[in-house]
Amino acid sequence: MIDTLQKFFQFCSKENRRKFYKSIFMAVVAALFGGLKIPAIAVLIRAILEGRLNTSDLFLSLGIMLISVLGMSIIKYHATMLQTEAGYGTAADKRMEIAEHMRYMPMGYFNENSLGSIMSVTTNTMENLSDVGTRVVMMVTEGIMTTSVITLMVFIFDWRIGLIIVAGLVIYYLMNTLLQKKSHDASVQKVYTDSLLVEKVLEYIKGILEVKAYHLSGKYNERLEQAIEENVQANIGMELTLIPFMSLQNFVAKFIGVAVAAISIYFYTRGSMSLLNCIMMAVCSFMLMEGLESAGNYSSLLRVINLCVDKASAILNVKPMDIAGENMEPNSYELKADHISFSYGEKKIIDDISLTIPQNTTTAIVGPSGSGKTTLCHLLSRFWDVDEGMVTLGGKDVRKYSLDALMKNFSFVFQDVYLFQDTVANNIRFGQPDASMDDVIAAAKKAKCHEFIKNLPNGYETIIGESGGTLSGGEKQRLSIARAMMKNAPIIILDEATANVDPENESNLLDAISELTKNKTIIMIAHRLKTVRNADQILVVDEGKIVQQGTHDELMEEEGIYRNFVEQRNLAVSWKL
């Protein structure tokens, strides 16, 4: 129990940890105020037993009780507020910390872990910490403090009963330890099914078009329903597993109270305890049980907190890429790869590639699907670090730059465009948040998307649906290009940038890109002939190697993948119905 609380507090930031510690101190003070109920009752009982109950005794008892109730209420209020702020603050801070940490994690992590499992950590896991965690910490610490104060009060009245309570607390602790062990497996299953449920829901929603198109609704509904059922069973199973042990634990707590009352009566009948003390021990036994049950019942959820902290820490402990380079600017924008290799797991994706991309030139990368084109671009822009060799920008190893300093030099237009659920204007100015509306409109015009934006319900202030779901593929691609234009980086990587653009708009878009990319270093991955034929150099990649290199005319003079590629495209164009 104590170990889990310590782990949770260490997981919190210093500021939130101080709030928790302060709230625990206040819980001690609140328990002391609560303990004043005992002398308040003792004043009345003493007066009654001595047959001299008068107004002064009543007012004294009432005064002590009022101080107890008011002091405890005020202190508990502030303690609860501190714990709530610390709990929700910790969840918010860790969500931001995880998001920031992911910026510098190797891309391989996102290939190895599903989006659902990652999202589960930032949603369910953090929700458990902010909600369940805060309540558990609050109730467990409050119960422990209340029990401790009452035990000290009992020692003041009679040390023998105090020792009996301590012996009972040892037995109670052993029962609680058994409960913690039993809750471990149940908590693991609960957290796992929570994560699986988020994953299956996300998979179902993201693939709803394919599910409908291929009449897979029943099959995927079954998978989703199975995940829901497993989550239900895990939660019910956890409760059913813990209830017997919680009942046993509560029985021990009640037995301690009964034992205290019974032994006190025994001592009284033997003449070794006064009637006043006997009655007060009975009163204390009831207060003792209340504090014990509160701490014990909520302590069964400590394992959930433990697992939640472990899951969040697992992401935060993933070693990020080495980003501690210099915040410097390159002397030139020439990119070079010197015998670079890269493997994903045991599969080699890039195999001993060397190349030079001069500043202010256009380089096209072509090749069969799965040949390593996109991975090569990711290595040049340091989305991944190479396993062997070196990539340089301006003659300096890209690993010598801080990652933020390096990324300032690159703009990207990917084949799969992601737009945020925000206004059109904010999506365009994503790479330059302080850009004026005039600059946004200028970029949109260059990207040939100003006209369709004007026709949206609220123009540039129209909220785009999640992932840009309210726009067509071509519209999303053009907004992505406008966003790249806004960043105005010296190196632009276009990964099938025109793949989703309507044929009637492709020519205008290519003209816009040509205007944008003047005096810039361009790297493009493309399959369309008109996209690559005017490039300064064409790199043909196959099975992770550069198998051909040259201009369009030079490559058309030699046998190989490129000429076959062009001839197949020309043959396809010549087909008519």
Side-chain angles (χ1 to χ4, degrees):
M1 181 188 298
I2 302 300
D3 291 342
T4 300
L5 291 174
Q6 287 178 339
K7 177 189 282 189
F8 176 70
F9 293 146
Q10 289 301 316
F11 182 73
C12 302
S13 66
K14 289 183 178 180
E15 180 183 354
N16 289 320
R17 195 182 311 147
R18 281 196 296 268
K19 288 182 179 179
F20 273 120
Y21 289 160
K22 186 176 180 180
S23 71
I24 291 174
F25 172 76
M26 295 177 77
V28 174
V29 176
L32 291 173
F33 273 107
L36 290 177
K37 294 175 183 177
I38 296 174
I41 296 172
V43 168
L44 282 179
I45 293 176
R46 182 187 294 275
I48 293 172
L49 293 176
E50 293 177 355
R52 59 172 181 78
L53 183 63
N54 52 44
T55 306
S56 62
D57 292 320
L58 290 172
F59 278 113
L60 177 60
S61 177
L62 179 61
I64 296 174
M65 189 66 74
L66 283 174
I67 293 173
S68 173
V69 172
L70 290 175
M72 186 172 60
S73 299
I74 294 171
I75 297 298
K76 284 184 68 174
Y77 169 78
H78 289 290
T80 301
M81 290 300 295
L82 281 171
Q83 288 175 331
T84 302
E85 290 175 8
Y88 284 98
T90 294
D93 291 344
K94 289 302 175 181
R95 283 188 175 109
M96 296 301 295
E97 186 177 344
I98 289 172
E100 184 68 15
H101 186 70
M102 284 182 176
R103 289 181 58 200
Y104 305 109
M105 288 166 63
M107 294 300 294
Y109 174 84
F110 301 98
N111 292 334
E112 295 171 356
N113 296 270
S114 69
L115 180 59
S117 65
I118 296 172
M119 286 189 63
S120 178
V121 175
T122 58
T123 53
N124 283 355
T125 302
M126 291 299 105
E127 184 66 23
N128 281 334
L129 281 181
S130 63
D131 190 8
V132 178
T134 301
R135 186 177 294 110
V136 168
V137 170
M138 181 169 56
M139 299 306 294
V140 170
T141 55
E142 183 179 318
I144 291 173
M145 297 307 168
T146 300
T147 301
S148 299
V149 169
I150 293 173
T151 303
L152 289 174
M153 290 283 188
V154 169
F155 268 103
I156 294 173
F157 282 98
D158 194 298
W159 63 270
R160 295 170 300 175
I161 301 299
L163 290 177
I164 292 171
I165 291 176
V166 170
L169 291 177
V170 171
I171 298 174
Y172 186 87
Y173 177 76
L174 293 176
M175 292 296 101
N176 185 262
T177 301
L178 181 60
L179 173 66
Q180 295 295 316
K181 290 180 179 179
K182 289 297 181 181
S183 71
H184 178 265
D185 293 339
S187 299
V188 170
Q189 186 64 16
K190 168 186 163 49
V191 173
Y192 168 75
T193 57
D194 284 347
S195 176
L196 182 64
L197 180 58
V198 173
E199 183 177 338
K200 292 304 179 185
V201 169
L202 187 64
E203 178 187 78
Y204 185 81
I205 294 173
K206 289 178 70 67
I208 192 66
L209 291 178
E210 285 74 14
V211 169
K212 289 184 176 181
Y214 291 94
H215 303 288
L216 298 175
S217 299
K219 176 183 176 182
Y220 275 81
N221 275 342
E222 289 177 4
R223 292 171 62 176
L224 180 58
E225 288 172 3
Q226 182 180 355
I228 294 171
E229 182 62 25
E230 288 178 0
N231 186 250
V232 169
Q233 293 303 319
N235 281 278
I236 293 176
M238 182 175 180
E239 294 297 325
L240 293 178
T241 299
L242 299 183
I243 284 175
F245 295 94
M246 292 173 65
S247 299
L248 180 60
Q249 183 178 254
N250 289 338
F251 172 79
V252 172
K254 288 179 171 60
F255 180 78
I256 295 172
V258 172
V260 167
I263 294 173
S264 296
I265 293 172
Y266 173 77
F267 285 157
Y268 170 69
T269 58
R270 296 294 299 270
S272 61
M273 180 182 287
S274 67
L275 180 58
L276 173 63
N277 282 5
C278 179
I279 295 173
M280 292 311 302
M281 291 303 98
V283 172
C284 288
S285 68
F286 286 104
M287 297 176 66
L288 183 71
M289 286 189 296
E290 181 182 353
L292 274 180
E293 289 181 0
S294 173
N297 290 338
Y298 279 94
S299 69
S300 63
L301 295 174
L302 284 173
R303 287 293 179 182
V304 175
I305 298 176
N306 196 41
L307 290 170
C308 289
V309 170
D310 287 343
K311 287 193 71 174
S313 297
I315 293 180
L316 294 172
N317 291 337
V318 173
K319 186 178 180 180
M321 297 173 66
D322 183 9
I323 60 172
E326 298 180 41
N327 291 319
M328 56 184 177
E329 295 185 2
N331 297 323
S332 70
Y333 301 107
E334 180 182 74
L335 274 169
K336 282 189 177 182
D338 183 16
H339 296 285
I340 64 172
S341 295
F342 175 78
S343 298
Y344 179 62
E346 297 181 357
K347 182 179 180 182
K348 180 160 277 192
I349 308 298
I350 300 297
D351 187 7
D352 194 28
I353 283 182
S354 295
L355 59 85
T356 299
I357 301 176
Q359 179 176 324
N360 299 336
T361 63
T362 297
T363 297
I365 303 176
V366 300
S369 179
S371 60
K373 304 183 297 296
T374 298
T375 301
L376 177 59
C377 288
H378 286 168
L379 292 173
L380 293 175
S381 55
R382 210 193 167 196
F383 274 31
W384 284 296
D385 278 332
V386 297
D387 296 333
E388 300 174 14
M390 180 173 60
V391 175
T392 62
L393 172 62
K396 296 180 180 178
D397 191 329
V398 292
R399 290 168 291 197
K400 299 294 184 183
Y401 296 83
S402 70
L403 198 58
D404 289 339
L406 181 67
M407 284 298 124
K408 289 179 181 178
N409 300 293
F410 292 89
S411 282
F412 303 88
V413 180
F414 298 110
Q415 181 176 0
D416 297 322
V417 177
Y418 189 91
L419 298 176
F420 295 88
Q421 190 168 0
D422 203 341
T423 64
V424 173
N426 285 340
N427 268 279
I428 293 176
R429 61 162 66 97
F430 184 75
Q432 192 176 339
D434 298 328
S436 67
M437 183 56 71
D438 289 339
D439 292 335
V440 170
I441 294 173
K445 288 180 176 178
K446 289 180 180 179
K448 307 299 181 184
C449 52
H450 177 66
E451 293 302 321
F452 85 76
I453 292 174
K454 287 197 306 181
N455 293 327
L456 294 174
N458 297 308
Y460 283 87
E461 297 304 314
T462 301
I463 301 293
I464 297 175
E466 186 177 1
S467 299
T470 56
L471 301 176
S472 70
E475 289 170 341
K476 289 193 291 184
Q477 196 72 295
R478 281 177 279 167
L479 283 179
S480 177
I481 292 171
R483 185 160 63 192
M485 292 177 177
M486 283 294 296
K487 188 176 180 182
N488 197 28
I491 302 172
I492 298 178
I493 296 180
L494 306 169
D495 187 351
E496 290 288 2
T498 61
N500 295 324
V501 177
D502 300 331
E504 59 268 23
N505 293 322
E506 183 178 0
S507 177
N508 291 333
L509 186 55
L510 289 174
D511 290 341
I513 292 177
S514 177
E515 183 66 27
L516 164 72
T517 55
K518 284 182 179 179
N519 301 319
K520 295 185 185 297
T521 305
I522 311 301
I523 305 169
M524 63 170 66
I525 299 174
H527 291 115
R528 299 190 181 187
L529 178 58
K530 65 176 68 176
T531 308
V532 303
R533 69 184 308 158
N534 295 323
D536 296 297
Q537 67 170 333
I538 300 170
L539 307 177
V540 182
V541 179
D542 187 29
E543 296 183 352
K545 295 178 177 288
I546 295 179
V547 295
Q548 290 181 283
Q549 182 173 352
T551 64
H552 170 77
D553 293 335
E554 290 170 347
L555 295 179
M556 288 300 294
E557 294 295 324
E558 59 183 66
E559 286 286 343
I561 293 175
Y562 184 77
R563 192 164 80 179
N564 292 337
F565 160 76
V566 173
E567 289 174 351
Q568 289 172 3
R569 293 301 185 276
N570 288 335
L571 181 62
V573 172
S574 67
W575 275 86
K576 293 182 180 180
L577 292 176

